[in-house]
Amino acid sequence: MRFSFDKAACQNTRRALHREWLLANERGDCSGSSILCCNTRKYHGLLIVNTPHGRHVLLSALEESVCGGDREFFFSTRQHPGTLYPNGHEYLEAFQLDQWPQSTYRVGEVSLSREMLLARDKSLLLVRYELRGPEDIPPLTLRLKPLLAYRNIHALTRANPALRADTIAVPGGFSIRPYESLPPLYIQAAGDSGKACSMAVNAEGATTSEKCRQHASASFVAEPDWCRNVEYFEERERGFDDSEDLFMPGTLEIALPSLPQGGYVYVAAGTEACGENLRALWETESRAHTDAHLAGGGLAGQLAQAGGQFCITTPSGRSTVIAGYPWFDDWGRDTLISLPGLAFYAGREEFGLRVLAEVGRHIRNGLVPNMFSESGEHAYNTVDASLWYAFALQQAIAIVPDGLAWARQHAWDALKAIIKGYRKGPGMGIFVDAEGLLHAGDAHTQLTWMDAQVNGCPVTPRHGCPVEINALWYNTLAFADSLAAAFQEPLLTGERQRAVMRDAFLLRFWATEEGGYLGDVWRDGQLDRSVRPNQIFAVSLPHAVLADDFQPQVVECVRNRLLTPFGLRTLAPDAAAYKGRYEGNGESRDAAYHQGTAWPWLLGHYTDALLHTAWDLDGAVQGLLDMVTPLFCQHLCEAGLGSISEVFDGSPPYNPGGCTAQAWSVAECLRMLKKLQKAAPDVYAQWEQRVAHCLAHPASGDKTGVCRATMTLGVSAPGSEE
């Protein structure tokens, strides 16, 4: 899918600064900014590397300008107190995001384009500049001033004497290692031939060899300085510190190709010296990105491609899922909820199986870690991650060829260990009662996915017997029994005990008000009757704990009271505790996180439940597709371009919030689309054509600040349906 912003859209800075692009590779490195290339978050940067100690912003930005005829024109901008400086955004003619971002600037008759892509398997950013214009333009020079942050993504930095400002000459540029604890940074330039120039660098400056001048003159002058008070307004809006100082080691100047022929200039920024021909490297990497881009079409193809950004191998070699960009790491719960959509529905079966095998190796007392650590000191503080392991394994077996054989060899022992551990009691108040239902936590813990706290107190206390935990627990037991039968082993639970569980579940959770629905938590003999989306899992899971006769009422309740165009609300709007806006500082946002805020990831299981209970399949599919049309016609072109945000306001106009690219949002919306496409292919095809037209012809009164997106139809994303 191609996202295009024309000049009018780019000059509408109010909107443009809220549109963000992201590049990520299989190492967990990333690059991202706004479409103006003006960083609006501390998490933005051109080269953010994934280290054993977390992700770190090395290269925050480049101050770019073109010099010629005693004049200098800037093509970059950043935010300082009260202003955008320099004024490069004023020359921005167009921005396009396809496989990678491309910006086009114009001054008079001269245009300069910038393209950026991230190498797939190394910490390396490649930038390509192209100059175009008439022949009477005097010789021009590209001037780059790297701005370095060299800090953890969650931190900010200030000018300090501990930073080592010394630079070392390398072919085509320089290297610097501001702090011993972080990797060095190499910045190298090359002309159209792709061959880097050699040069000498010293405190006074640098000279370029005669051999270099023959194809692309470049020079680096060491001029260490600090760029002070760079601001990030998104952080200010989120209630965090929003200002820092960036280190500028010097100036790199590259002679631009003569006009009118023009040509390319290449710049590489990475943690190792780049000895390859930069032009050839660009062509190799861009070809690989293009091939991956063309592998799938339509909305499912777009989400499958976006989902690849979350699938990484950590510095220690562990296959895992980044929960969300720009600030989350890998979490057990998020990984396992996301895995079916990211892997098994998107043609990444081998990756998905590696993750399942890896997670299985870290099970302790039946628990899957909620937070993984490169040090191996994982956090075991969730009740549902292990139960999502069972669901992810179910999806793998249904989709992967020979999945059953793989499960017996690589996952069967892990699944049995989960059940044994829960029955024994792994701690944290997790235990199975006499009727087989699962209890978890106490008044001071948050062990389910609704885990927000304010001032150390749970916002949504869910200790006791939560509805979705028991739906997942029942599904896990029934699934394990099906595997035991297939493997000709003794059953772990048996139908009689599961029947007792089903009866107890209905007795405890069913609320007869307003047509009937499932309450949220059974605790101390009382039912919390809050209308929340957690009840949908009692219908959606492959082995449903809720009797068939009661399932349609649950779907009806969720549709009427929780369904929005962007996800399911976490609390019905008529509840006294409902909060329809996810905004303000951290405390305010946490207070709204699960008290009405809508979550896209829940759409996957809502779809499962809807398809399971619908009597008019085409009508049900059409109704849901019509409801979520804004998610694809509107949201793909805002916030994180081409991806899906973590949350949305529960009340209109449903503004997006949280991470701009969330793994389980992308994964479960992809799974939703694939399910609906399979259930009613003709209905889906007609709807997707309407969405394609909407994306290419957005409705806007003033026709400014809009994004026009084009996509190829008729090709499904890789992967098979159930």
Side-chain angles (χ1 to χ4, degrees):
M1 187 177 291
R2 177 181 296 126
F3 301 88
S4 302
F5 295 81
D6 60 15
K7 183 176 182 178
C10 294
Q11 295 305 311
N12 189 335
T13 55
R14 180 179 60 85
R15 294 182 182 177
L17 288 171
H18 286 285
R19 301 319 193 239
E20 302 178 37
W21 56 267
L22 170 71
L23 301 176
N25 65 13
E26 60 192 45
R27 297 167 57 95
D29 304 328
C30 61
S31 177
S33 188
S34 70
I35 67 171
L36 302 186
C37 262
C38 174
N39 294 344
T40 61
R41 303 179 186 272
K42 62 186 176 184
Y43 300 98
H44 282 159
L46 295 185
L47 182 62
I48 302 171
V49 300
N50 194 23
T51 76
H53 309 293
R55 295 201 297 279
H56 287 74
V57 183
L58 302 190
L59 177 61
S60 177
L62 290 170
E63 182 175 289
E64 304 155 301
S65 62
V66 169
C67 306
D70 298 324
R71 301 187 68 183
E72 182 174 13
F73 297 94
F74 288 89
F75 294 94
S76 60
T77 190
R78 56 188 178 268
Q79 186 180 11
H80 289 280
T83 187
L84 293 176
Y85 176 85
N87 63 336
H89 61 286
E90 296 177 3
Y91 302 112
L92 184 58
E93 286 271 308
F95 175 87
Q96 178 178 297
L97 179 66
D98 199 336
Q99 301 97 305
W100 54 82
Q102 178 176 358
S103 304
T104 302
Y105 301 85
R106 178 175 293 276
V107 177
E109 298 179 279
V110 175
S111 70
L112 181 76
S113 70
R114 180 215 305 117
E115 301 170 82
M116 292 182 283
L117 60 80
L118 203 59
R120 294 159 296 158
D121 58 356
K122 59 182 70 174
S123 299
L124 176 67
L125 175 78
L126 295 174
V127 188
R128 183 170 76 169
Y129 298 91
E130 182 182 18
L131 182 71
R132 293 186 178 183
E135 61 182 346
D136 59 345
I137 300 297
L140 298 175
T141 299
L142 176 65
R143 179 176 292 166
L144 303 177
K145 294 182 178 180
L147 301 178
L148 313 185
Y150 260 81
R151 55 162 173 79
N152 186 277
I153 58 171
H154 304 296
L156 290 168
T157 192
R158 286 294 181 187
N160 65 89
L163 183 141
R164 300 186 307 197
D166 297 338
T167 56
I168 300 173
V170 298
F174 69 97
S175 71
I176 185 171
R177 189 166 193 172
Y179 305 105
E180 189 64 34
S181 60
L182 291 174
L185 178 67
Y186 293 79
I187 297 182
Q188 299 167 266
D192 204 34
S193 69
K195 297 178 181 178
C197 304
S198 60
M199 62 191 71
V201 181
N202 53 42
E204 289 74 33
T207 60
T208 307
S209 69
E210 186 61 33
K211 181 179 179 181
C212 241
R213 292 192 183 98
Q214 293 175 8
H215 60 82
S217 178
S219 64
F220 173 75
V221 177
E223 300 173 307
D225 198 3
W226 286 91
C227 178
R228 299 175 187 270
N229 299 321
V230 178
E231 293 186 342
Y232 308 114
F233 76 85
E234 293 280 8
E235 302 306 320
R236 181 169 61 252
E237 291 185 359
R238 296 174 65 239
F240 296 119
D241 292 339
D242 66 329
S243 178
E244 72 174 339
D245 304 329
L246 300 173
F247 179 69
M248 194 275 291
T251 303
L252 181 65
E253 294 189 348
I254 311 106
L256 289 165
S258 300
L259 295 172
Q261 294 87 357
Y264 296 111
V265 165
Y266 300 88
V267 176
T271 57
E272 298 178 354
C274 187
E276 302 176 62
N277 182 288
L278 294 188
R279 177 176 180 175
L281 183 58
W282 175 278
E283 292 175 351
T284 298
E285 290 289 343
S286 62
R287 189 179 306 113
H289 282 73
T290 301
D291 290 345
H293 180 73
L294 296 176
L299 293 171
Q302 170 60 32
L303 294 186
Q305 183 181 0
Q309 297 177 324
F310 307 102
C311 303
I312 74 160
T313 300
T314 69
S316 66
R318 182 169 50 86
S319 295
T320 191
V321 171
I322 292 290
Y325 291 100
W327 53 71
F328 283 137
D329 294 314
D330 55 327
W331 296 59
R333 175 191 295 121
D334 297 59
T335 292
L336 294 166
I337 291 175
S338 304
L339 202 61
L342 297 184
F344 306 126
Y345 279 78
R348 300 186 183 93
E349 291 90 350
E350 289 300 322
F351 172 80
L353 296 179
R354 288 200 305 272
V355 172
L356 282 176
E358 181 67 34
V359 170
R361 285 192 282 270
H362 296 286
I363 292 173
R364 301 288 183 272
N365 301 319
L367 296 177
V368 164
N370 188 35
M371 291 177 20
F372 288 96
S373 168
E374 284 295 273
S375 68
E377 298 178 359
H378 310 311
Y380 294 85
N381 57 357
T382 173
V383 64
D384 55 340
S386 299
L387 309 179
W388 283 116
Y389 177 89
F391 177 76
L393 182 59
Q394 281 175 299
Q395 303 302 297
I397 290 174
I399 292 176
V400 176
D402 299 324
L404 191 63
W406 184 93
R408 183 169 193 174
Q409 181 177 355
H410 300 284
W412 179 225
D413 287 342
L415 185 62
K416 290 188 290 185
I418 289 170
I419 294 172
K420 180 180 178 181
Y422 274 53
R423 284 175 168 163
K424 184 178 180 180
M428 298 185 297
I430 299 173
F431 66 92
V432 179
D433 68 16
E435 294 174 300
L437 296 184
L438 192 61
H439 294 244
D442 57 38
H444 306 289
T445 58
Q446 291 284 72
L447 303 184
T448 75
W449 79 280
M450 290 186 168
D451 56 1
Q453 297 189 22
V454 172
N455 297 323
C457 297
V459 176
T460 54
R462 304 191 71 236
H463 60 285
C465 198
V467 63
E468 86 282 8
I469 299 305
N470 280 278
L472 285 162
W473 173 236
Y474 179 87
N475 178 69
T476 300
L477 296 176
F479 171 52
D481 274 355
S482 72
L483 291 184
F487 300 152
Q488 297 182 340
E489 295 186 14
L491 300 183
L492 280 74
T493 306
E495 172 57 31
R496 180 178 299 178
Q497 186 174 341
R498 295 204 307 275
V500 172
M501 291 177 61
R502 290 195 299 270
D503 292 343
F505 180 89
L506 182 63
L507 183 63
R508 293 186 190 181
F509 287 100
W510 189 252
T512 58
E513 300 91 15
E514 301 185 33
Y517 66 96
L518 291 171
D520 195 56
V521 181
W522 190 88
R523 181 191 309 120
D524 299 330
Q526 300 293 322
L527 177 63
D528 176 355
R529 284 176 158 76
S530 300
V531 177
R532 296 189 183 274
N534 303 305
Q535 61 184 304
I536 203 68
F537 299 101
V539 183
S540 67
L541 292 166
H543 299 282
V545 66
L546 183 64
D548 289 349
D549 291 347
F550 298 89
Q551 293 179 9
Q553 293 97 304
V554 168
V555 176
E556 185 74 7
C557 173
V558 172
R559 175 170 54 242
N560 292 338
R561 305 181 68 181
L562 302 176
L563 180 63
T564 78
F566 301 95
L568 299 187
R569 297 184 182 97
T570 42
L571 184 64
D574 58 357
Y578 174 77
K579 296 183 182 299
R581 294 281 180 264
Y582 180 76
E583 60 187 5
N585 61 21
E587 181 176 316
S588 175
R589 284 180 284 109
D590 284 343
Y593 208 33
H594 302 112
Q595 295 291 76
T597 300
W599 292 71
W601 82 268
L602 296 166
L603 288 171
H605 282 270
Y606 175 77
T607 300
D608 290 331
L610 178 69
L611 296 180
H612 181 68
T613 58
W615 59 269
D616 174 10
L617 204 56
D618 282 2
V621 170
Q622 186 70 69
L624 180 54
L625 288 173
D626 289 344
M627 170 60 79
V628 300
T629 294
L631 179 62
F632 299 98
C633 281
Q634 173 185 328
H635 180 63
L636 289 183
C637 300
E638 65 181 4
L641 297 178
S643 195
I644 300 179
S645 293
E646 179 186 4
V647 294
F648 292 80
D649 287 348
S651 298
Y654 308 110
N655 293 318
C659 278
T660 54
Q662 187 79 359
W664 60 14
S665 296
V666 171
E668 283 297 274
C669 286
L670 169 59
R671 202 170 66 84
M672 171 184 70
L673 293 181
K674 299 281 278 189
K675 291 280 227 178
L676 296 176
Q677 184 180 34
K678 181 182 179 183
D682 292 339
V683 171
Y684 182 89
Q686 293 174 12
W687 171 79
E688 191 173 47
Q689 288 178 349
R690 293 198 302 272
V691 170
H693 183 270
C694 170
L695 288 167
H697 305 87
S700 175
D702 58 7
K703 297 296 181 183
T704 62
V706 298
C707 172
R708 291 170 175 83
T710 56
M711 68 177 179
T712 303
L713 295 173
V715 182
S716 296
S720 303
E721 296 86 357
E722 290 178 297

